Amino acid sequence: MSYSNELTIKRLRDSGADKDLLHQLEQVDAEIDVILRSGGTSQDVRETQQLFDDLSAAAVDAAVQPVPSGHTGAGHQTQ
């Protein structure tokens, strides 16, 4: 796992990000790790890293969605 990606995953996990997105991030990061360990360069992982970046942005967006008007976020509507 790249250190930066590992920190991103940890922060997203700590923030309560979607478990499916976290799993996808872990899989993409593992793929990056395999490429680099087999002698690949940062150029070789450019597209895969972009996928990681896009998924992490989606996870952040999902984690910080505003609560719809009239809801408290706890499953109760306000009066």
Side-chain angles (χ1 to χ4, degrees), residues 51-64:
L51 175 59
F52 182 93
D53 295 343
D54 293 345
L55 285 171
S56 63
V60 167
D61 288 345
V64 297

Side-chain angles (χ1 to χ4, degrees), residues 41-78:
T41 66
S42 59
Q43 184 71 25
D44 297 326
V45 297
R46 179 175 287 190
E47 287 181 30
T48 311
Q49 181 63 48
Q50 185 61 52
L51 175 59
F52 182 93
D53 295 343
D54 293 345
L55 285 171
S56 63
V60 167
D61 288 345
V64 297
Q65 286 296 318
V67 175
S69 178
H71 293 272
T72 62
H76 303 284
Q77 287 192 330
T78 57

Side-chain angles (χ1 to χ4, degrees), residues 1-76:
M1 226 184 241
S2 92
Y3 181 70
S4 176
N5 289 353
E6 186 176 332
L7 284 177
T8 298
I9 292 169
K10 180 183 180 327
R11 287 180 181 141
L12 287 168
R13 185 176 291 116
D14 291 348
S15 73
D18 181 80
K19 288 182 177 29
D20 289 335
L21 280 172
L22 287 170
H23 182 70
Q24 289 178 23
L25 284 167
E26 289 167 342
Q27 288 180 317
V28 171
D29 191 51
E31 184 178 331
I32 291 169
D33 194 43
V34 167
I35 294 168
L36 293 175
R37 287 180 188 263
S38 66
T41 66
S42 59
Q43 184 71 25
D44 297 326
V45 297
R46 179 175 287 190
E47 287 181 30
T48 311
Q49 181 63 48
Q50 185 61 52
L51 175 59
F52 182 93
D53 295 343
D54 293 345
L55 285 171
S56 63
V60 167
D61 288 345
V64 297
Q65 286 296 318
V67 175
S69 178
H71 293 272
T72 62
H76 303 284

